[in-house]
Amino acid sequence: MAALIGLLVDFDVGGQWAFDHAPSCAHWVADRADCELATVREWLRIGHALLVVDEVARRFADGRLSYTKVRFLTRVADGDNQHELCALAARFPAARLPVELA
């Protein structure tokens, strides 16, 4: 999943999707992958957020963080708190992570 999200961000930034006159990268991918537009938008949101939180991205890429945890962490992590949040994510299951962070 980490690899797919990384490729999607590269594709988005590269702008190749615009050659097909798609309104956005998310629209282009959703049409070709036969999935919901909201799903692709979420993948792209996560991917762009991972560009800022490199520790979260590393742990996602090497399998130490699940997609579910990364989806949540990319909403709250920044360059300053990402290491602390990754440590918490390692200690708790994905379903409990929002509660533990609250």
Side-chain angles (χ1 to χ4, degrees):
M1 195 68 203
L4 171 64
I5 288 174
L7 289 171
L8 287 175
V9 170
D10 291 344
F11 186 64
D12 186 24
V13 171
Q16 293 95 341
W17 50 268
F19 293 119
D20 283 339
H21 306 291
S24 71
C25 177
H27 283 86
W28 191 96
V29 173
D31 286 348
R32 271 115 190 125
D34 193 25
C35 61
E36 292 290 329
L37 181 60
T39 300
V40 180
R41 284 182 174 150
E42 182 68 357
W43 292 342
L44 286 167
R45 183 200 63 76
I46 292 166
H48 286 285
L50 288 173
L51 297 174
V52 178
V53 288
D54 57 330
E55 183 62 20
V56 176
R58 265 193 300 281
R59 291 180 188 217
F60 184 35
D62 68 18
R64 289 183 286 162
L65 285 176
S66 68
Y67 171 78
T68 304
K69 288 181 179 183
V70 168
R71 186 173 181 224
F72 176 74
L73 290 177
T74 54
R75 294 189 184 281
V76 296
D78 58 33
D80 296 328
N81 68 7
Q82 66 177 325
H83 296 283
E84 180 183 354
L85 293 177
C86 284
L88 279 171
R91 291 182 25 220
F92 298 103
R96 281 195 43 207
L97 192 55
V99 173
E100 295 299 329
L101 290 177

